[in-house]
Amino acid sequence: FEQGLDHKPGEPMTRAKPFVVLHVEDDDDDAFVFALAVSKQLPWVELRRAMDGLEAQRVLDESEPFHGGGRQMPDLVLLDIKMPRYSGLQLLKWIRLRSSVAKLPVAMFSGSREPEELAIAENLGIEAWVQKSADSNEIITFLETFIQARHANLTAADGRG
């Protein structure tokens, strides 16, 4: 996942392969605002979008190494909960039951404040629950922290830190 990551304090992270976030979001306005914030504040992040859980399943199935020569597997899946056809929680359950992607980091990025949904998502091992708001700083901060933590874990595991 993290091969080629290089980061010096005060400089953006760079990688031989980009850090890929699969953003699963049915609302075009929310997706646009998020993509704009990421492109301005985290230019080294490659953002892919799926309109719902079914489209996200297809994207994951077509990603390396499952579709020989396909696209890079996302480093993080960022899910909305309330979507037509196939919800974020349904997709999260599918991910956790499918051995090829079961360990894929998933965070919920949703306007929902339902305690039952949060409990289900936590039981399925989400990385975080980030509340949607007009201010994109919270999700950008989460992404920066997540990327830095992944880099620190890789460095420690490789004995480079």
Side-chain angles (χ1 to χ4, degrees):
F1 264 73
E2 297 292 319
Q3 293 177 336
L5 186 61
D6 183 27
H7 181 248
K8 296 176 185 167
E11 295 180 8
M13 290 186 180
T14 58
R15 296 166 47 134
K17 290 184 176 181
F19 188 90
V20 178
V21 174
L22 175 59
H23 185 207
V24 187
E25 172 62 65
D26 64 311
D27 185 283
D28 289 335
D29 292 335
D30 287 349
F32 175 78
V33 169
F34 178 69
L36 188 60
V38 168
S39 69
K40 285 183 177 181
Q41 297 179 47
L42 304 173
W44 62 90
V45 171
E46 178 184 320
L47 194 58
R48 295 184 193 149
R49 179 180 176 207
M51 297 286 289
D52 62 31
L54 293 175
E55 186 177 347
Q57 281 182 339
R58 183 187 51 76
V59 169
L60 292 171
D61 278 339
E62 292 175 355
S63 297
E64 296 176 350
F66 315 109
H67 192 263
R71 299 178 83 178
Q72 177 185 336
M73 180 62 69
D75 297 291
L76 174 68
V77 177
L78 195 58
L79 286 178
D80 187 13
I81 287 192
K82 308 245 189 247
M83 295 182 289
R85 296 194 318 156
Y86 203 77
S87 76
L89 288 176
Q90 288 173 303
L91 178 62
L92 179 58
K93 288 176 189 174
W94 178 87
I95 288 170
R96 295 300 181 238
L97 292 173
R98 191 169 177 97
S99 63
S100 59
V101 292
K103 295 189 186 284
L104 189 62
V106 177
M108 306 306 285
F109 181 45
S110 181
S112 176
R113 296 177 190 265
E114 302 279 333
E116 290 176 17
E117 292 173 337
L118 175 58
I120 291 168
E122 286 177 342
N123 286 336
L124 290 168
I126 58 168
E127 298 291 323
W129 182 291
V130 182
Q131 191 69 36
K132 280 186 190 177
S133 68
D135 180 8
S136 60
N137 287 335
E138 186 176 356
I139 190 63
I140 296 299
T141 300
F142 163 74
L143 286 173
E144 288 175 325
T145 303
F146 179 83
I147 293 167
Q148 289 171 358
R150 297 275 300 189
H151 176 57
N153 290 342
L154 172 72
T155 301
D158 286 352
R160 294 184 278 168

